[in-house]
Amino acid sequence: MTPPRDPHREDSQQSEAEPAPEHELLPHAALAHESDVQSEADAARRAAPILAPARPAIRVLPPEIAERIAAGEVVERPVSVVKELVDNALDAGASDVRIDIEGGGLRLIRVADDGDGIPADQLELAFQRHATSKIDGAADLLEIATLGFRGEALPSIAAVAEVDVASSVDESGRAATLGLRAGRVQRRGARGRPRGTTVWVRNLFQPLPARLKFTRNPRSESAQIGLLLRRYALARPEVKFSLVLDGHPSLRTTGSGRLDQTLAEVFGRDVASSLLPLPERQVGAGRITGVVSGPGLSRPSRQQCLLFVNRRAVQAPALQQALEAAYRPLMPPGRHPVAVLFVEVPPGAVDVNVHPSKAEVKLLWEADLAEALGDAVKATLGRSPRRPTDEEDFALGATQYKLPAATRRIAESGTLFELDEPVPRLALRYVGQIQNVVLLAEGKGGLYVVDQHRAHERVIYEKLTSEQGASSAQYLLEPVVLELTPARADVLGERLGALESLGFSCERFGGHSFLVRSAPDLPDALDRTGLSDALEDASDESDDWRERLLIRLACRSAIRRGKPLMPVEATALLDQIGRASVTSICPHGAPIVLHFNRRFLERQFSW
Ligand code: ADP
Ligand code: MG
């Protein structure tokens, strides 16, 4: 009876060695030619006349040195080694890839797979430059760009690290091994191993002190490797990945082949369950699928906006921009969504050569894809829940929920989100005002605490962004005069029409001054400084000036914190916020409502 096959149990069957821990399997060999180079240099130094200016003679670098420099350029960082090795494992059809990292990859990178393996008689060949099994003839050259370093990964890595490899091509349990130092084969052997390949890379960049200096600390190298593996895991849900960093499991996927499961394994259940699937969009012969976060979930960086083109993690700025644009009115500035997007296009429609490390691609139908992506995201967000429900907890601080903002941007730019069904109203019964800052209310879902300023701000903002805002302009008793710098005056001059549609009638009045005769009807008549500050925003070059203007108007005219409210006023405000398309975040992106549901109370009081 044969024992169950485990590609990662590697019995040390080397006759010459005691069973030893894997990382000590092959002793470090003396770097023979390295010391030659050293003594050559020493000899040159000794021969130089003592007083002569120290201008070294020009000479051709010995090939080993040239090789190392070139390799140092392709193998930039530990993460690039991991990438090449994992690519090789996947190219070999592996369904199980295990990665162990020590010291940020500088001490050890070990990648073990259960793929095809390398035949014993080709093991050395694999480490020769331009040696590859992946290109058959000239016809393949067109597609070559999709491959790693074109037969250069293994030799490049071996030039800048100590490399050992063990590979088996069948179920015999025997694997051929090879040990290289400074790119040269030091030993050949055999050991026990099920089908597949393991590559050990130790003391990376040791021969390149300059490169070592530029490598960041092990912790950030490990973090990069972690991100890389998460991208691989998402691109290949059918492959089982395991990443261990300094002995601690960092990522483990089951290779279930299911995206939802993999998302949970990569992002955790909580995040994964809040991701919303995009409707599939077809663009020419390409298509876009994926999942995105609701606006309640955001991140301070773009690290979790992941894009895969034909299952390769890449960056495509146009698509990233389309994604961000769809979220802009929903997300506080500086925050980014979580998104995992898959673009599938015929291979001919991708140009991966625009970026040396192939991290960025140019897509043939990029503009169309970007537009389709934007549409798909907006459609998805338009359907997502917009207000607290009974299921959501608003534990103070910790899980403040943020929901989508304005349904409509401004009259001009048309409908932002198409709503399939009318948004149900959140009925709140006013209970009282606390410290003149928040309103307590009772609703079907339990207790609600409403920030009076933000709630009012949201109500005003929505009114301003609806068509009605534009048509309710009020003439000012006395026009406001606006003095601008010449540059700002030019910008504002071009926006008079747009301002008119928002309810501002504004005309040029001499050089760089403007007369403002009307303003949108605002509940608490905006003071004159508030008005001119807001219009200053409109003279700003930035593209999002409209939004900033409306947000400022809403903020400046909303009920302040500290203002006592009459019960009728409070009731009216609760009624308005309950009918707003977005109840939960103010236009700045801060929470408006905290919700304590029955379950929350039960937990807190231990009922
Ligand atoms: P490339 O991947 O561009 O062909 P590499 O230097 O990365 O170049 O690898 C050289 C060759 O070694 C590959 O073409 C492949 O035949 C073989 N090889 C490398 N790693 C593995 C692996 N994990 N499993 C099977 N074969 C491998
Ligand atoms: Mg390769």
Side-chain angles (χ1 to χ4, degrees):
M1 195 188 90
T2 45
R5 180 168 161 255
D6 177 354
H8 305 287
R9 232 191 70 229
E10 313 204 7
D11 310 317
S12 177
Q13 289 183 3
Q14 275 185 319
S15 48
E16 74 272 43
E18 288 281 306
E22 268 169 7
H23 62 281
E24 280 169 7
L25 209 58
L26 293 161
H28 298 187
L31 302 183
H33 82 278
E34 173 125 333
S35 42
D36 291 347
V37 173
Q38 194 63 45
S39 51
E40 233 177 79
D42 283 346
R45 219 172 298 129
R46 277 195 298 276
I50 294 168
L51 292 174
R55 184 190 182 284
I58 295 171
R59 63 182 184 125
V60 175
L61 288 173
E64 316 83 33
I65 303 269
E67 187 131 296
R68 268 189 236 161
I69 292 171
E73 272 158 22
V74 269
V75 183
E76 265 184 1
R77 296 176 60 180
V79 67
S80 25
V81 174
V82 178
K83 178 179 177 296
E84 290 306 321
L85 297 180
V86 174
D87 268 346
N88 280 350
L90 296 174
D91 286 346
S95 61
D96 189 343
V97 184
R98 303 196 182 185
I99 301 105
D100 281 273
I101 302 295
E102 285 174 21
L106 294 170
R107 205 159 57 238
L108 171 72
I109 294 169
R110 172 183 174 273
V111 177
D113 68 54
D114 63 349
D116 292 347
I118 308 172
D121 61 347
Q122 291 172 28
L123 205 50
E124 274 182 55
L125 197 58
F127 283 86
Q128 271 173 38
R129 221 158 259 289
H130 307 302
T132 177
S133 60
K134 298 171 195 171
I135 301 167
D136 261 351
D140 280 356
L141 282 174
L142 286 177
E143 304 272 302
I144 194 173
T146 58
L147 301 175
F149 289 152
R150 306 155 198 201
E152 287 188 279
L154 292 182
S156 299
I157 295 165
V160 292
E162 296 157 18
V163 174
D164 295 295
V165 58
S167 194
S168 172
V169 290
D170 51 31
E171 300 300 343
S172 66
R174 302 294 295 165
T177 64
L178 196 66
L180 297 96
R181 299 295 177 265
R184 295 196 174 173
V185 175
Q186 296 286 310
R187 54 185 294 162
R188 301 171 184 83
R191 59 179 297 185
R193 198 206 186 286
R195 194 179 71 113
T197 304
T198 305
V199 180
W200 293 259
V201 177
R202 295 194 187 84
N203 298 328
L204 181 65
F205 298 143
Q206 220 60 227
L208 284 178
R211 163 77 51 191
L212 211 49
K213 228 168 46 200
F214 284 105
T215 309
R216 287 190 241 155
N217 65 42
R219 193 185 287 266
S220 74
E221 295 300 334
S222 290
Q224 288 301 316
I225 294 169
L227 285 174
L228 175 79
L229 262 301
R230 279 165 179 76
R231 292 196 294 264
Y232 272 116
L234 290 167
R236 306 290 294 263
E238 72 286 3
V239 176
K240 202 164 154 180
F241 286 97
S242 135
L243 171 67
V244 176
L245 299 173
D246 293 312
H248 302 289
S250 158
L251 173 72
R252 185 163 299 155
T253 65
T254 47
S256 60
R258 290 176 39 191
L259 182 62
D260 55 351
Q261 168 105 26
T262 313
L263 286 166
E265 288 157 356
V266 170
F267 292 114
R269 292 245 164 250
D270 280 356
V271 169
S273 64
S274 69
L275 295 174
L276 313 164
L278 291 181
E280 182 180 324
R281 294 284 153 121
Q282 204 77 34
V283 178
R287 63 185 192 124
I288 297 188
T289 55
V291 294
V292 295
S293 55
L297 184 69
S298 69
R299 295 282 182 258
S301 79
R302 295 189 179 87
Q303 250 170 21
Q304 294 185 5
C305 295
L306 304 175
L307 172 67
F308 300 90
V309 172
N310 295 345
R311 303 269 149 185
R312 289 206 151 234
V314 292
Q315 277 164 5
L319 296 191
Q320 179 71 30
Q321 272 162 28
L323 176 72
E324 302 246 341
Y327 277 90
R328 198 160 297 134
L330 309 183
M331 220 157 251
R335 304 290 296 186
H336 306 275
V338 177
V340 181
L341 306 170
F342 298 97
V343 172
E344 308 284 341
V345 289
V350 203
D351 183 359
V352 282
N353 270 328
V354 292
H355 192 280
S357 67
K358 301 167 187 69
E360 213 169 89
V361 294
K362 181 100 191 86
L363 290 164
L364 204 53
W365 312 297
E366 194 156 77
D368 293 341
L369 285 165
E371 198 187 319
L373 172 63
D375 283 353
V377 173
K378 285 173 190 173
T380 301
L381 295 176
R383 275 197 306 272
S384 75
R386 316 193 138 236
R387 57 167 46 102
T389 66
D390 286 359
E391 277 65 54
E392 287 156 6
D393 271 352
F394 283 75
L396 282 171
T399 55
Q400 287 170 348
Y401 215 81
K402 292 182 179 175
L403 292 173
T407 20
R408 267 157 299 182
R409 237 212 268 252
I410 53 159
E412 261 195 356
S413 59
T415 309
L416 180 60
F417 299 125
E418 321 249 327
L419 284 179
D420 294 348
E421 64 249 40
V423 182
R425 193 172 170 283
L426 176 67
L428 296 175
R429 191 178 62 78
Y430 176 58
V431 176
Q433 189 187 23
I434 308 291
Q435 297 190 333
N436 297 338
V437 288
V438 293
L439 307 179
L440 283 195
E442 187 189 5
K444 225 176 95 224
L447 171 69
Y448 296 80
V449 181
V450 180
D451 180 320
Q452 65 188 41
H453 171 71
R454 289 180 187 162
H456 198 207
E457 203 177 38
R458 164 59 73 194
V459 168
I460 298 167
Y461 180 78
E462 292 210 349
K463 179 164 172 254
L464 288 171
T465 53
S466 69
E467 286 91 337
Q468 176 203 351
S471 56
S472 68
Q474 295 281 303
Y475 275 90
L476 303 170
L477 288 178
E478 220 181 293
V480 169
V481 182
L482 209 60
E483 298 280 356
L484 297 173
T485 63
R488 280 184 169 269
D490 286 348
V491 175
L492 194 73
E494 282 167 19
R495 293 178 179 164
L496 296 181
L499 284 168
E500 188 83 46
S501 70
L502 295 176
F504 290 99
S505 83
C506 199
E507 66 196 55
R508 209 157 187 148
F509 170 70
H512 315 308
S513 310
F514 290 82
L515 268 190
V516 188
R517 296 191 183 281
S518 79
D521 181 22
L522 293 163
D524 245 3
L526 188 66
D527 60 22
R528 299 169 81 81
T529 35
L531 195 61
S532 32
D533 285 356
L535 283 166
E536 284 255 5
D537 281 344
S539 67
D540 196 280
E541 289 272 16
S542 67
D543 288 338
D544 57 354
W545 66 273
R546 277 194 193 85
E547 245 145 65
R548 289 173 37 196
L549 167 75
L550 297 179
I551 288 174
R552 191 191 291 265
L553 285 177
C555 178
R556 293 290 276 265
S557 56
I559 298 166
R560 321 239 134 220
R561 284 192 196 102
K563 184 175 178 207
L565 293 188
M566 310 275 288
V568 280
E569 295 175 295
T571 306
L573 179 56
L574 290 178
D575 184 56
Q576 287 169 321
I577 193 71
R579 265 181 297 151
S581 68
V582 174
T583 333
S584 284
I585 54 168
C586 77
H588 294 108
I592 296 173
V593 182
L594 298 182
H595 172 206
F596 303 88
N597 64 11
R598 175 83 188 186
R599 202 152 41 85
F600 175 79
L601 300 177
E602 282 167 4
R603 260 209 316 266
Q604 297 301 314
F605 286 118
S606 316
W607 286 342

